Short mmCIF file of all heavy atoms in Angstrom, two decimals:
data_model
loop_
_atom_site.label_atom_id
_atom_site.label_comp_id
_atom_site.label_asym_id
_atom_site.label_seq_id
_atom_site.Cartn_x
_atom_site.Cartn_y
_atom_site.Cartn_z
N LEU A 1 -21.91 -2.53 17.34
CA LEU A 1 -20.64 -2.18 17.10
C LEU A 1 -20.20 -2.33 15.63
O LEU A 1 -19.54 -1.64 15.01
CB LEU A 1 -19.83 -2.95 17.98
CG LEU A 1 -19.83 -2.67 19.50
CD1 LEU A 1 -19.06 -3.62 20.33
CD2 LEU A 1 -19.36 -1.22 19.79
N THR A 2 -20.73 -3.43 15.02
CA THR A 2 -20.43 -3.81 13.66
C THR A 2 -20.84 -2.76 12.72
O THR A 2 -20.27 -2.32 11.70
CB THR A 2 -20.94 -5.18 13.32
OG1 THR A 2 -20.44 -6.12 14.24
CG2 THR A 2 -20.51 -5.52 11.80
N VAL A 3 -22.20 -2.39 12.86
CA VAL A 3 -22.77 -1.25 11.98
C VAL A 3 -21.98 0.03 12.13
O VAL A 3 -21.69 0.75 11.23
CB VAL A 3 -24.21 -1.03 12.41
CG1 VAL A 3 -24.81 0.16 11.73
CG2 VAL A 3 -25.10 -2.19 12.04
N THR A 4 -21.65 0.37 13.46
CA THR A 4 -20.94 1.70 13.59
C THR A 4 -19.57 1.53 12.93
O THR A 4 -18.97 2.50 12.34
CB THR A 4 -20.67 1.82 15.24
OG1 THR A 4 -21.85 1.89 15.75
CG2 THR A 4 -19.88 3.05 15.42
N ALA A 5 -18.90 0.38 12.99
CA ALA A 5 -17.57 0.20 12.40
C ALA A 5 -17.62 0.41 10.84
O ALA A 5 -16.77 0.91 10.19
CB ALA A 5 -17.00 -1.20 12.77
N CYS A 6 -18.73 -0.21 10.24
CA CYS A 6 -18.93 -0.04 8.79
C CYS A 6 -19.22 1.27 8.33
O CYS A 6 -18.65 1.76 7.39
CB CYS A 6 -20.00 -1.02 8.36
SG CYS A 6 -19.75 -2.74 8.49
N ILE A 7 -20.02 1.99 9.24
CA ILE A 7 -20.19 3.50 8.83
C ILE A 7 -18.90 4.25 8.89
O ILE A 7 -18.61 4.98 8.03
CB ILE A 7 -21.24 4.09 9.78
CG1 ILE A 7 -22.60 3.46 9.62
CG2 ILE A 7 -21.39 5.57 9.60
CD1 ILE A 7 -23.65 3.75 10.52
N SER A 8 -18.10 4.03 10.02
CA SER A 8 -16.84 4.59 10.10
C SER A 8 -15.88 4.19 8.91
O SER A 8 -15.20 5.07 8.40
CB SER A 8 -16.14 4.23 11.38
OG SER A 8 -14.89 4.74 11.52
N CYS A 9 -16.01 2.92 8.52
CA CYS A 9 -15.19 2.48 7.42
C CYS A 9 -15.46 3.17 6.12
O CYS A 9 -14.66 3.57 5.39
CB CYS A 9 -15.34 1.03 7.26
SG CYS A 9 -14.35 0.22 5.89
N ASN A 10 -16.85 3.38 5.83
CA ASN A 10 -17.33 4.02 4.64
C ASN A 10 -16.90 5.53 4.71
O ASN A 10 -16.52 6.10 3.75
CB ASN A 10 -18.83 4.02 4.51
CG ASN A 10 -19.26 2.53 4.20
OD1 ASN A 10 -18.50 1.90 3.47
ND2 ASN A 10 -20.53 2.20 4.54
N ASP A 11 -16.89 6.07 5.91
CA ASP A 11 -16.46 7.49 6.04
C ASP A 11 -15.01 7.69 5.71
O ASP A 11 -14.53 8.57 4.98
CB ASP A 11 -16.60 7.99 7.51
CG ASP A 11 -18.20 8.25 7.83
OD1 ASP A 11 -18.93 8.42 6.90
OD2 ASP A 11 -18.54 8.41 9.01
N ASP A 12 -14.24 6.70 6.13
CA ASP A 12 -12.72 6.70 5.83
C ASP A 12 -12.54 6.54 4.32
O ASP A 12 -11.65 7.18 3.69
CB ASP A 12 -12.00 5.58 6.53
CG ASP A 12 -11.99 5.88 8.03
OD1 ASP A 12 -12.15 7.11 8.43
OD2 ASP A 12 -11.67 4.93 8.82
N LYS A 13 -13.38 5.71 3.64
CA LYS A 13 -13.25 5.58 2.17
C LYS A 13 -13.60 6.78 1.42
O LYS A 13 -12.89 7.21 0.60
CB LYS A 13 -14.13 4.43 1.70
CG LYS A 13 -13.75 3.00 2.19
CD LYS A 13 -14.69 1.88 1.59
CE LYS A 13 -14.20 0.48 1.98
NZ LYS A 13 -15.16 -0.50 1.49
N ASP A 14 -14.60 7.55 2.01
CA ASP A 14 -15.09 8.75 1.33
C ASP A 14 -13.97 9.82 1.44
O ASP A 14 -13.58 10.43 0.49
CB ASP A 14 -16.26 9.29 1.88
CG ASP A 14 -17.43 8.37 1.45
OD1 ASP A 14 -17.36 7.67 0.56
OD2 ASP A 14 -18.44 8.53 2.25
N LYS A 15 -13.25 9.80 2.64
CA LYS A 15 -12.11 10.74 2.89
C LYS A 15 -11.04 10.47 2.06
O LYS A 15 -10.34 11.42 1.45
CB LYS A 15 -11.73 10.78 4.36
CG LYS A 15 -12.86 11.34 5.32
CD LYS A 15 -12.38 11.16 6.75
CE LYS A 15 -13.38 11.63 7.66
NZ LYS A 15 -13.07 11.51 9.13
N THR A 16 -10.78 9.17 1.82
CA THR A 16 -9.62 8.69 0.91
C THR A 16 -9.88 9.17 -0.48
O THR A 16 -9.02 9.60 -1.22
CB THR A 16 -9.39 7.23 1.08
OG1 THR A 16 -9.16 6.84 2.46
CG2 THR A 16 -8.19 6.79 0.19
N ALA A 17 -11.13 8.92 -0.97
CA ALA A 17 -11.44 9.26 -2.24
C ALA A 17 -11.31 10.75 -2.46
O ALA A 17 -10.73 11.21 -3.42
CB ALA A 17 -12.86 8.96 -2.52
N ASP A 18 -11.75 11.55 -1.57
CA ASP A 18 -11.59 13.01 -1.56
C ASP A 18 -10.12 13.42 -1.71
O ASP A 18 -9.77 14.27 -2.56
CB ASP A 18 -12.20 13.69 -0.47
CG ASP A 18 -13.83 13.58 -0.46
OD1 ASP A 18 -14.37 13.29 -1.50
OD2 ASP A 18 -14.35 13.81 0.59
N THR A 19 -9.33 12.73 -0.93
CA THR A 19 -7.87 13.07 -0.84
C THR A 19 -7.29 12.80 -2.24
O THR A 19 -6.51 13.46 -2.83
CB THR A 19 -7.15 12.23 0.17
OG1 THR A 19 -7.81 12.64 1.46
CG2 THR A 19 -5.70 12.62 0.20
N ASP A 20 -7.63 11.57 -2.81
CA ASP A 20 -7.12 11.15 -4.19
C ASP A 20 -7.44 12.15 -5.21
O ASP A 20 -6.73 12.49 -6.07
CB ASP A 20 -7.56 9.76 -4.54
CG ASP A 20 -7.01 8.64 -3.69
OD1 ASP A 20 -5.93 9.06 -2.97
OD2 ASP A 20 -7.45 7.55 -3.64
N ASN A 21 -8.78 12.64 -5.24
CA ASN A 21 -9.20 13.55 -6.22
C ASN A 21 -8.39 14.94 -6.04
O ASN A 21 -7.97 15.49 -7.04
CB ASN A 21 -10.68 13.88 -6.08
CG ASN A 21 -11.56 12.75 -6.47
OD1 ASN A 21 -11.12 11.88 -7.28
ND2 ASN A 21 -12.76 12.62 -6.03
N SER A 22 -8.12 15.39 -4.88
CA SER A 22 -7.43 16.61 -4.67
C SER A 22 -5.96 16.47 -5.15
O SER A 22 -5.36 17.57 -5.32
CB SER A 22 -7.57 17.04 -3.22
OG SER A 22 -6.93 16.15 -2.33
N ALA A 23 -5.41 15.29 -5.13
CA ALA A 23 -4.04 15.07 -5.53
C ALA A 23 -3.87 14.82 -6.99
O ALA A 23 -2.79 14.47 -7.45
CB ALA A 23 -3.44 13.93 -4.62
N ALA A 24 -4.94 14.79 -7.72
CA ALA A 24 -4.93 14.55 -9.23
C ALA A 24 -4.05 15.54 -9.90
O ALA A 24 -3.93 16.70 -9.48
CB ALA A 24 -6.33 14.57 -9.84
N ILE A 25 -3.27 15.10 -10.88
CA ILE A 25 -2.37 16.08 -11.59
C ILE A 25 -3.23 17.04 -12.46
O ILE A 25 -4.03 16.63 -13.20
CB ILE A 25 -1.43 15.28 -12.63
CG1 ILE A 25 -0.60 14.32 -11.68
CG2 ILE A 25 -0.67 16.22 -13.42
CD1 ILE A 25 0.27 13.44 -12.53
N LYS A 26 -2.95 18.30 -12.27
CA LYS A 26 -3.63 19.41 -12.96
C LYS A 26 -3.11 19.53 -14.38
O LYS A 26 -1.95 19.27 -14.63
CB LYS A 26 -3.48 20.70 -12.23
CG LYS A 26 -4.18 20.74 -10.79
CD LYS A 26 -3.98 22.07 -10.21
CE LYS A 26 -4.54 22.04 -8.81
NZ LYS A 26 -4.44 23.27 -8.09
N PRO A 27 -4.01 19.83 -15.36
CA PRO A 27 -3.51 20.11 -16.70
C PRO A 27 -2.40 21.26 -16.76
O PRO A 27 -2.57 22.21 -15.87
CB PRO A 27 -4.79 20.51 -17.49
CG PRO A 27 -5.88 20.08 -16.62
CD PRO A 27 -5.47 20.02 -15.22
N PRO A 28 -1.58 21.37 -17.65
CA PRO A 28 -0.60 22.49 -17.66
C PRO A 28 -1.33 23.77 -17.88
O PRO A 28 -2.29 23.85 -18.56
CB PRO A 28 0.24 22.13 -19.01
CG PRO A 28 0.06 20.62 -19.23
CD PRO A 28 -1.35 20.31 -18.81
#
């Protein structure tokens, strides 16, 4: 259960990182 939770946690972090990158301010 702990291993599964950590994998899920890492997946969530990756998704958050992707979201942050997509929200970056674009150059004019």
Side-chain angles (χ1 to χ4, degrees):
L1 290 174
T2 302
V3 171
T4 302
C6 288
I7 292 173
S8 176
C9 179
N10 288 333
D11 286 345
D12 287 342
K13 287 180 180 178
D14 290 341
K15 290 176 183 177
T16 302
D18 289 343
T19 302
D20 289 343
N21 288 336
S22 66
I25 296 173
K26 297 179 180 179

